[in-house]
């Protein structure tokens, strides 16, 4: 890839990730079936990418690697299920904004788990996300479906944060595509007992949406992200992927008439700004590490 094509691939990947909620809402199936189907189609797509488009050699996994992949797969399954529950309950826009709170969870949990000092700019990140979530909350009433859906979305963000931290612990040992494929196998295995009784009742059109979700929004999007990182800095990639909720909310606006209120837009802007700051801070810290080593 050239830097220009890698940047284009990143935007395509962000768009595909942003459409996750849209395909999940189009599929008239339970969250368990959607996640199971998504994982199966993703495994096929990632296997094809690894076979024909990736030059990275797979590594022999040790017992500790299998344990981490198993934990990651369970967290990924729970993250997807809670996200699609949020989509079904409150719509794509609210679910997406709830999920995008994950950088704040990451800052707090990273400090607790890895015993790292939380800096002032990271506190600002948590504050921005918190204010954004307050603005996004449609009604401060737990009986409200919209509020319940937002809470499911926030739970999805918390689980994604835990997944990211678990992946950080094993980063550098397992190639990204290999790790993603193994994690999706675990997801499919976890959801099979729950999804199996209803698979025969899934309509053909719903399999189409689930297939697009697995192939494009998971397998291809992840592959584009991994391939582009060979050319683009991680800092740039993080900023580009801050566009993911913008794409998702815009698509929901156009397809489902989920018109966001001014208050929701302001909250969304604060959360997206927090994501950009998180990416810039992460890139800056990574840049300092090689210099300190030298």
């Amino acid at each position: 890839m050239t830097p220009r094509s890698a940047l284009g691939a990143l935007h395509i990947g962000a768009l595909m990730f942003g459409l996750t909620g849209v395909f999940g809402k189009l599929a008239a199936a339970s969250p368990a079936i959607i996640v199971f189907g998504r994982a199966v189609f993703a495994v096929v797509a990632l296997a094809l990418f690894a076979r024909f488009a990736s030059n990275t050699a797979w590594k022999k996994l040790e017992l500790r690697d299998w344990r981490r992949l198993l934990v990651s797969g369970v967290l990924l399954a729970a993250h997807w299920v809670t996200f699609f529950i949020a989509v079904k309950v409150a719509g794509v826009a609210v679910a997406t904004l709830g999920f995008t709170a994950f950088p704040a969870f990451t800052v707090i949990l990273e400090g607790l788990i890895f015993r790292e000092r939380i800096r002032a700019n990271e506190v600002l990140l948590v504050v921005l996300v918190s204010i954004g979530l307050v603005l996004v909350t449609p009604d401060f009433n737990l009986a409200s479906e919209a509020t319940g859906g937002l809470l499911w979305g926030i739970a999805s963000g918390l689980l994604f944060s835990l997944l990211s931290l678990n992946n950080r612990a094993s980063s550098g040992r397992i190639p990204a595509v290999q790790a993603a494929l193994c994690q999706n196998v675990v997801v499919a295995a976890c959801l099979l007992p729950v999804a199996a009784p209803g698979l025969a009742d899934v309509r053909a059109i719903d399999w189409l949406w689930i297939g697009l979700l697995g192939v494009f929004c998971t397998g291809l999007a992840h592959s584009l992200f991994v391939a582009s990182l060979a050319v683009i800095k991680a800092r740039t990639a993080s900023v580009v992927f801050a566009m993911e909720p913008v794409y998702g909310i815009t698509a929901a606006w156009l397809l489902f008439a989920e018109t966001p209120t001014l208050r929701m837009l302001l909250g969304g802007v604060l959360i997206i700004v927090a994501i950009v700051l998180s990416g810039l801070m992460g890139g800056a810290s990574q840049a300092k590490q090689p210099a300190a080593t030298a």
Side-chain angles (χ1 to χ4, degrees):
M1 282 187 176
T2 64
R4 178 176 296 181
S5 63
L7 190 60
L10 272 178
H11 277 284
I12 293 172
L15 173 61
M16 291 177 179
F17 280 130
L19 293 177
T20 296
V22 173
F23 288 126
K25 184 164 184 175
L26 287 171
S30 69
I33 291 177
I34 292 174
V35 173
F36 170 76
R38 176 183 189 176
V40 171
F41 283 107
V43 166
V44 174
L46 289 167
L48 291 174
F49 176 81
R51 175 65 179 83
F52 297 106
S54 177
N55 295 324
T56 304
W58 284 30
K59 292 188 177 180
K60 184 178 179 181
L61 301 180
E62 300 177 2
L63 180 59
R64 61 174 176 171
D65 297 323
W66 285 112
R67 283 199 298 263
R68 284 172 178 164
L69 287 172
L70 179 61
V71 173
S72 294
V74 172
L75 289 172
L76 181 60
H79 155 61
W80 279 346
V81 169
T82 51
F83 177 75
F84 287 120
I85 291 175
V87 169
K88 298 292 185 182
V89 171
V92 177
V94 172
T96 301
L97 288 173
F99 157 69
T100 51
F102 74 86
F105 288 121
T106 303
V107 167
I108 296 171
L109 293 173
E110 206 166 30
L112 293 174
I113 295 173
F114 293 100
R115 300 185 182 278
E116 296 178 351
R117 184 173 59 87
I118 299 178
R119 296 167 293 179
N121 51 4
E122 292 173 331
V123 173
L124 175 62
L125 167 68
V126 175
V127 171
L128 286 176
V129 171
S130 300
I131 296 173
L133 288 175
V134 170
L135 291 174
V136 167
T137 304
D139 183 14
F140 292 96
N141 180 7
L142 293 179
S144 167
E145 283 192 352
T147 303
L150 179 65
L151 291 175
W152 280 111
I154 293 172
S156 176
L158 173 60
L159 289 163
F160 185 79
S161 176
L162 291 171
L163 171 64
S164 301
L165 294 175
N166 187 66
N167 286 338
R168 171 187 166 178
S170 58
S171 62
R173 287 188 49 81
I174 309 172
V177 174
Q178 182 182 4
L181 192 150
C182 293
Q183 288 170 4
N184 276 277
V185 170
V186 174
V187 171
C190 288
L191 272 297
L192 179 59
V194 182
L199 292 178
D201 299 327
V202 180
R203 303 175 304 169
I205 187 64
D206 293 329
W207 280 121
L208 172 63
W209 302 132
I210 294 172
L212 292 174
L213 181 62
V215 173
F216 290 99
C217 299
T218 310
L220 183 57
H222 184 87
S223 301
L224 288 173
F225 178 71
V226 171
S228 63
L229 285 180
V231 181
I232 297 292
K233 292 181 179 179
R235 185 190 316 180
T236 304
S238 299
V239 174
V240 170
F241 266 78
M243 293 297 294
E244 177 188 340
V246 177
Y247 291 138
I249 293 170
T250 302
W253 192 348
L254 296 175
L255 294 175
F256 308 122
E258 293 185 7
T259 306
T261 63
L262 178 60
R263 177 173 164 171
M264 184 182 292
L265 288 174
L266 289 175
V269 168
L270 284 177
I271 294 173
I272 292 168
V273 167
I275 296 173
V276 173
L277 290 176
S278 175
L280 292 174
M281 288 188 297
S285 62
Q286 288 176 0
K288 290 177 182 178
Q289 289 176 358
T293 303

